[in-house]
Amino acid sequence: LKESYLRLFNLRIFSKIDFDLKNSGENQSEMIITVKERWTFIPIAKITGGGGTTQFTLGAFDINVLGEFLELGAQYENLNDNSGFVHWFRNPRLFGTRIRSGYDIWNVTRNRLLFNSDVEKGEVAEEVSAYTVTTQRFNFFLAQEFVYWFVWGIGVDHNRLTATNDGLSEEFLNKNTSSGFL
């Protein structure tokens, strides 16, 4: 019963789970499980900035789409006027079996800083350069659950990374020009 309770709780789609075990007589028992579904639609809204960079993200995901225990999510991102997106889908019980399947599609942009490596312990490293990396990614997977603690699977993950100076501040563009980076 404890394992069943934990497995139901770990689905993350119920806010309340109650077990009621009743003796029906003649070595028989009846168990009644009462669950209360929780709100599983999660909005995503984020604004960050610093170092001449501004990023905002808007999206949403749900781990129990239409009450079918399917996860679906999408988000839009904008980093210094570079638009991007992420979309994902998960099905933990493909065709009613214990086979998990899903995919991720990414097209995102991130700024990366490079620091001086000749720094004494305890000192702050100087930012010497920067670049903007765009990641285009597609990931697909299938995994068989044999028991809840043992899962075996296969997947395909394709990544394409592109580094540029796009969207960098004047300070970093000047540092890149003087150092010959990018």
Side-chain angles (χ1 to χ4, degrees), residues 89-125:
F89 173 77
R90 305 276 183 274
N91 183 350
R93 296 289 181 249
L94 185 64
F95 305 121
T97 65
R98 290 188 173 210
I99 297 176
R100 300 176 189 176
S101 66
Y103 65 83
D104 301 80
I105 301 171
W106 297 58
N107 184 19
V108 296
T109 302
R110 302 285 188 267
N111 287 344
R112 300 292 185 230
L113 301 176
L114 299 176
F115 296 89
N116 183 350
S117 61
D118 299 327
V119 178
E120 296 294 323
K121 185 176 180 180
E123 290 186 24
V124 176

Side-chain angles (χ1 to χ4, degrees), residues 30-100:
E30 180 180 336
M31 181 169 39
I32 299 170
I33 303 171
T34 306
V35 295
K36 181 179 178 186
E37 281 193 65
R38 73 169 42 152
W39 181 259
T40 57
F41 180 81
I42 311 295
I44 302 168
K46 178 174 68 170
I47 298 173
T48 58
T53 298
T54 303
Q55 178 181 13
F56 74 89
T57 304
L58 293 173
F61 72 98
D62 192 339
I63 61 171
N64 192 23
V65 174
L66 302 173
E68 294 293 326
F69 195 43
L70 301 172
E71 181 176 340
L72 184 63
Q75 67 185 41
Y76 168 79
E77 298 184 0
N78 189 294
L79 175 72
N80 293 342
D81 295 326
N82 290 308
S83 294
F85 69 91
V86 179
H87 169 66
W88 66 95
F89 173 77
R90 305 276 183 274
N91 183 350
R93 296 289 181 249
L94 185 64
F95 305 121
T97 65
R98 290 188 173 210
I99 297 176
R100 300 176 189 176

